[in-house]
Amino acid sequence: MHYAPGKDPCPLPFSPFKACTVPRPIGWISTVSRGGIANLAPYSQWQNLTFDPPLVMFSANQYPDGRRKDTVVNAEETGWFVWNMATYALREAVNASAAALPSEADEFEAAGVTKAACIDAPGPRVAESPCQFECRYLSTHRLPGNSPVGSIDIVYGQVERIHVADDVIGPEGKLDVAKIEPLARMGYYDYAVIRETFEMRIPGSAAAADGLEGKA
């Protein structure tokens, strides 16, 4: 089976595009407006870009009427956004924060999570989340889609501060992923939870690994 998106009709009842690019980290992003209203929303297009310095990005689709997401506007206007790790224990709050609410609504309250003060960023972070990045806004790259909702804002940021809860750090100084149970986005309405990991090292690259996925 194959087809050309945008040219051929999809031969399946559901598009396989998002279901193929899995699992995807969830960008559970918190910001604050210039008026002081806290915003919290999940984005399934989120990724780290490099580690020196630590750079991240997320992309936000526009609303069908062409409006841009409050997360993007807040990041541009205040110069900051915060990434909060989504976990299985917080899955209902993550899902609740995906609802399209008015800009004047406090989405921390709607999701039922607690605000924790940041050190550098002006907005709050999710207290119940085990890991957070305070990110300084760098730039936005806009890409037009075939429809208003298909158009996206790609937001880039630099991680200025990393928060990790002490109780999810193992004796070796690594994150205890099995304890954290990170949530990942799949295709359709599906999610996954990470409870098991395994290690592989590139042959002959023990020292170089520190600069790839090791100590860096």
Side-chain angles (χ1 to χ4, degrees):
M1 185 279 289
H2 65 86
Y3 71 105
K7 297 180 181 178
D8 303 330
C10 179
L12 300 175
F14 300 97
S15 171
F17 170 67
K18 292 182 180 180
C20 288
T21 51
V22 294
R24 300 192 303 278
I26 295 174
W28 203 18
I29 309 296
S30 56
T31 57
V32 66
S33 70
R34 286 192 296 190
I37 304 298
N39 182 275
L40 179 65
Y43 294 90
S44 61
Q45 280 78 232
W46 155 272
Q47 193 55 265
N48 65 306
L49 298 173
T50 185
F51 55 86
D52 185 23
L55 300 179
V56 295
M57 58 75 64
F58 70 93
S59 68
N61 292 80
Q62 294 181 158
Y63 286 110
D65 62 6
R67 287 180 298 122
R68 304 167 75 206
K69 295 291 177 67
D70 291 334
T71 302
V72 177
V73 174
N74 292 347
E76 292 176 346
E77 292 184 346
T78 67
W80 292 87
F81 62 90
V82 179
W83 170 79
N84 306 272
M85 181 178 282
T87 67
Y88 184 75
L90 292 167
R91 64 193 183 282
E92 297 297 343
V94 173
N95 193 44
S97 67
L101 299 179
S103 299
E104 61 271 18
D106 186 321
E107 291 176 321
F108 276 74
E109 294 180 3
V113 292
T114 310
K115 297 186 183 76
C118 290
I119 296 175
D120 301 304
R125 53 197 174 99
V126 177
E128 293 84 354
S129 176
C131 309
Q132 304 98 10
F133 295 166
E134 296 185 38
C135 305
R136 179 169 54 84
Y137 168 80
L138 295 178
S139 63
T140 303
H141 185 76
R142 290 177 58 77
L143 290 175
N146 293 327
S147 63
V149 74
S151 299
I152 60 170
D153 289 305
I154 306 173
V155 178
Y156 299 94
Q158 180 167 324
V159 179
E160 300 290 354
R161 192 171 299 273
I162 297 173
H163 300 263
V164 178
D166 292 338
D167 63 355
V168 300
I169 302 174
E172 296 182 345
K174 297 180 179 180
L175 295 189
D176 188 341
V177 173
K179 184 175 183 179
I180 293 172
E181 296 187 320
L183 200 64
R185 192 72 167 91
M186 306 296 284
Y188 319 119
Y189 292 107
D190 298 335
Y191 290 80
V193 57
I194 310 302
R195 296 191 176 105
E196 182 179 343
T197 64
F198 63 93
E199 182 179 281
M200 288 197 302
R201 297 183 181 234
I202 301 172
S205 62
D210 287 348
L212 295 175
E213 300 290 348
K215 293 180 181 178

